[in-house]
Amino acid sequence: MSRIPLVIAVGTATAVAAALTTGPAVAQAAPARTAASPAAAADALVAAKPAYLHVSSAETFQRQASITSGGFTYVSYTRTYQGLPEVGGDFVVMTDANGVAKYTSVAQTSAVGTLSVTPKISDRAAQATARKQLKSVSKVEGTKLVVLTNEGAAAKLAWQTTVDGTRAGGPSRLTVTVDAVTGKVLSTDEHVTEATGTGTGWVYGSVSLSTTQSGSTFLLQDSSHTTLRAQNASNNATFSGSDNVWGNGSGTNRETGGVDALYVAEKQFAMLSSWLGRNGQNGSGGAWPIRIGLNDENAYYDGTQVQIGHNTAGQWIASADVVGHELGHGIDDHTPGGISRRGTQEFVADTFGAATEWYINSPLDPPDYQVGEEVNLVGSGPIRYMYNPSLAGDSNCYSSSTPSQEVHAAAGPGNHWFYLLAQGSAGGSGQPSSPTCNGSSVTGVGIQNAIKVMYNAMLLKTSASSYLRYRVWTLQAAKNLTPGSCTLFNSVKAAWNAVSVPAQSGEATC
Ligand SMILES: [Zn+2]
């Protein structure tokens, strides 16, 4: 059998359950066969309904993408309840190369149990409530009935509507979850992830680019990965010309912004391949159009595109720590569990911005751990400092209030953790020292190892992501990446301790 059906009706698979109930998160898959594929092994584990999956009757599982990294394969799943998508029902099964399940990462902490799937309020009423969450609405993408499984709370029947438009302070693409029984707004999820822009937009000077020739016309579009392309935001047309010579070095010129943007996107694509073994920002060889011309001192990713705005001097801000950050949101969006939550989304994106800047290693944008240092957006230099977030007014140390802070402020502890892991508390080689929250010293492992830990942790991500879970996932990632050695693991752990993210029950030990 070359392909396994995507939908597994677990109710019919009880025969294998008895053989697979031992041990949490570890199972020998398909004992009667040799070397099961990772997907088949994961399916067998799921079919056995181990207690830690919190399976309810009336649930069906849908296998999603499998991503292989560092000798392990990460197979992610969603689930439905009586045919309705379960928000927060996702999980990841990690298997080794022999198809043996080794670890499972599960979003929900309790079973749905028995839940009525008959709504008490109409989809139209829910949609009207969703529209009210924005200042103005240009489009309603759709409304669907879902089962919401929040950590620690009883499952709820809900309407989910995604609306496009504007909020105070900028564009919005918002998913609004409304209780289908009471009509109350349960949560809102903003898909527009902003960088609060920076950069000069023409930082990289004279560069060579992979572009596309179409007849006698050239396009500012990667020749082998055509979804990497730079466009004019006013008409969403890919920049084109007859001579394959692009830009004029002027920061206010849109095509010049497109040159920097495509350069960064292509370099990040190469970094993902070379350092992480990942095939493109979206994991399947591509990315999203990068549009130059947002009329705002900002930039964002929204699930379909990256928009690049300007600084106070009108220069397009397509530097590595902006474009790399925005595409980092796309990477986050296209790893299991989707965009990171509870205050972690901006830190995740900043780690990809920094890794991209270091990979590029341009003398015109010397690699560092500042965000937006190339442009003086509001006259006060960088907008974030990963080695000392407090320099921009963000928190250096995690606390229980971090998850509810504004998303960029909440990036402080995570950025600080990443710096300590990459460079260490002493800094060195031109990088500054970094104060720790517990007075400890942390030994750095280099940015390439640090981003490997980050990325492999993201392969265990579920929709229940948080700083606390990132601690657990990065420790597991360090073990996966360096079996038999505790050096990487110890630095990961020391760095979390140094930013006050506390030990979690069940986390890996070394
Ligand atoms: Zn962002």
Side-chain angles (χ1 to χ4, degrees), residues 414-439:
N415 280 348
H416 191 196
W417 167 81
F418 188 75
Y419 184 83
L420 291 168
L421 177 62
Q423 296 296 135
S425 50
S429 304
Q431 298 305 314
S433 63
S434 176
T436 56
C437 305
N438 60 355

Side-chain angles (χ1 to χ4, degrees), residues 193-195 325-326 329 346 408:
T193 49
E194 297 176 88
H325 170 108
E326 298 308 336
H329 282 307
E346 297 304 322
H408 299 90

